[in-house]
Amino acid sequence: MESLLRFLPSSEDMASLRQLKDDYDELCVAEQFAFMLSNIPRIEPRLQAMVFKKKFYEEAREIKPDLTYVIAACEELKTSEKFGKCLELILLIGNYMNSGSRNAGTYGFKLNFLTKLQNTKAADNRTNLLHFLANTLEQKYPQWINFKDDLKNLEKARRVSDDQLSKQLRGMKKSLTNLKKELDFHKTPDSIDDRFGTEMHAFLEYANEEYEKLEATYANMGKCVTEIISFYGEDPKKTNSEDFFSDIVTFCNDFESARVENAKLKEAKKREEKQKELKEKEKRRKEQKYPSG
């Protein structure tokens, strides 16, 4: 239908085609098809309405889960004790490291600081603050270390564009308004077989109800996002949901990478200690077998 709408003859061409009624049998198949289209009243707005109907179902199916992901992610961030305790520990570590400086005794930090923890290197230059955080949690607070498990919807939520959702809903509203206006021309069918008005009236009633639900859920989503951004001490007017969620997802992924790297470093250290132990045993064996003097 979209292709048909795109290549639909102009209104002038349609008028010319209608004049070919007596020559119909002499027209080629494409011209006969165009002639038949030219005799359908208000063909262009009809096609536009049919395209909108098809797209409405598709867009509604796309929008619903996106709204759900964001609302769920906001709730997870608000209720996760593990994640909250992890942030408290990061603040404690930061204040300890800054003791004696003007940044000592800080009451909080910007959320994007989480993405910069790996930039603070240890003396060996092999590990960083994330490795230290992961080790501390594993050794002293293992009950908090799997905080990422509490944030299951975060990855999907960060991919949701508020601007895109707003644009889609505005487009829906405009198309619904246009459809309502178009149906004023179809209160009486042009023929007994013309079911456009009947079908579209039923669709309009359904679509209006669905749109109102989507609009209400979108408004609720916006409220949840504003509240959670404020909850974490950020300015909702300066911070969008995508950046907010992305900073936390980046931190979670970097933290998990640090845990994996810590495990590898521990294994490497065990192998080194094992090799050192074997060398010591071999050295003692040789000393016993070939004592000096």
Side-chain angles (χ1 to χ4, degrees):
M1 281 187 289
E2 291 177 66
S3 297
L4 182 58
L5 186 59
R6 194 179 304 118
F7 297 109
L8 197 68
S10 65
S11 55
E12 291 80 8
D13 290 337
M14 287 285 199
S16 299
L17 283 167
R18 283 194 289 271
Q19 304 303 315
L20 301 176
K21 181 178 180 181
D22 296 335
D23 301 318
Y24 178 81
D25 293 335
E26 298 176 14
L27 301 176
C28 66
V29 174
E31 290 172 328
Q32 288 179 346
F33 179 66
F35 171 80
M36 292 174 66
L37 289 178
S38 71
N39 284 278
I40 299 176
R42 302 185 62 78
I43 179 63
E44 185 172 1
R46 281 178 185 246
L47 287 172
Q48 289 171 340
M50 293 166 73
V51 168
F52 166 60
K53 181 180 179 181
K54 177 177 178 291
K55 284 188 172 181
F56 181 86
Y57 293 117
E58 295 172 356
E59 285 197 341
R61 280 196 299 268
E62 291 174 3
I63 291 173
K64 284 179 183 177
D66 283 349
L67 296 172
T68 302
Y69 296 145
V70 174
I71 293 171
C74 291
E75 182 65 20
E76 290 167 356
L77 284 170
K78 197 170 185 178
T79 58
S80 174
E81 181 183 3
K82 294 177 184 177
F83 184 62
K85 291 296 184 182
C86 180
L87 295 184
E88 287 180 20
L89 182 59
I90 292 171
L91 181 61
L92 181 65
I93 293 170
N95 280 330
Y96 176 79
M97 292 174 64
N98 290 322
S99 58
S101 73
R102 63 186 179 87
N103 292 324
T106 299
Y107 291 102
F109 53 83
K110 301 290 287 183
L111 209 60
N112 64 5
F113 173 69
L114 294 175
T115 65
K116 303 171 185 176
L117 294 179
Q118 57 188 341
N119 296 338
T120 304
K121 302 290 184 181
D124 60 7
N125 210 35
R126 294 176 63 189
T127 58
N128 56 53
L129 192 53
L130 268 178
H131 295 101
F132 178 75
L133 174 65
N135 270 330
T136 303
L137 284 170
E138 187 172 347
Q139 294 169 13
K140 297 184 178 181
Y141 310 104
Q143 70 273 26
W144 302 339
I145 200 166
N146 293 318
F147 60 84
K148 189 179 178 182
D149 293 345
D150 289 351
L151 312 175
K152 292 180 172 61
N153 287 283
L154 209 57
E155 181 66 47
K156 292 175 181 176
R158 77 154 169 174
R159 297 175 184 168
V160 177
S161 168
D162 181 73
D163 288 342
Q164 181 62 26
L165 284 175
S166 178
K167 182 180 177 182
Q168 286 178 292
L169 288 171
R170 287 198 306 272
M172 278 186 177
K173 186 174 184 179
K174 182 179 179 181
S175 295
L176 286 168
T177 300
N178 290 340
L179 178 57
K180 186 175 183 298
K181 290 178 180 177
E182 178 59 26
L183 288 177
D184 288 338
F185 294 97
H186 300 272
K187 292 179 179 179
T188 303
D190 289 290
S191 71
I192 193 171
D193 297 321
D194 186 1
R195 294 187 52 79
F196 178 82
T198 304
E199 295 289 337
M200 283 299 170
H201 269 295
F203 165 70
L204 181 62
E205 185 176 340
Y206 163 81
N208 272 326
E209 290 180 5
E210 283 299 301
Y211 172 77
E212 287 175 4
K213 291 176 186 176
L214 290 173
E215 190 178 41
T217 307
Y218 175 71
N220 182 42
M221 184 201 82
K223 180 172 175 286
C224 290
V225 168
T226 297
E227 287 178 352
I228 197 63
I229 290 176
S230 299
F231 180 80
Y232 278 90
E234 303 290 336
D235 186 348
K237 295 179 180 178
K238 298 179 181 178
T239 307
N240 63 53
S241 60
E242 294 136 273
D243 291 340
F244 176 78
F245 291 136
S246 290
D247 283 343
I248 301 174
V249 169
T250 297
F251 164 68
C252 290
N253 292 338
D254 290 345
F255 178 81
E256 291 303 316
S257 296
R259 289 184 67 186
V260 172
E261 289 163 8
N262 278 346
K264 290 179 180 178
L265 288 170
K266 286 178 183 178
E267 286 301 315
K269 187 176 181 180
K270 284 182 182 178
R271 287 195 297 270
E272 288 176 8
E273 290 175 350
K274 186 68 175 177
Q275 290 173 357
K276 185 178 179 181
E277 183 182 344
L278 290 173
K279 286 181 181 178
E280 288 293 329
K281 284 183 179 180
E282 181 62 16
K283 182 181 177 182
R284 288 196 297 269
R285 188 186 69 79
K286 287 181 178 180
E287 287 175 349
Q288 290 171 359
K289 187 173 182 179
Y290 306 106
S292 59

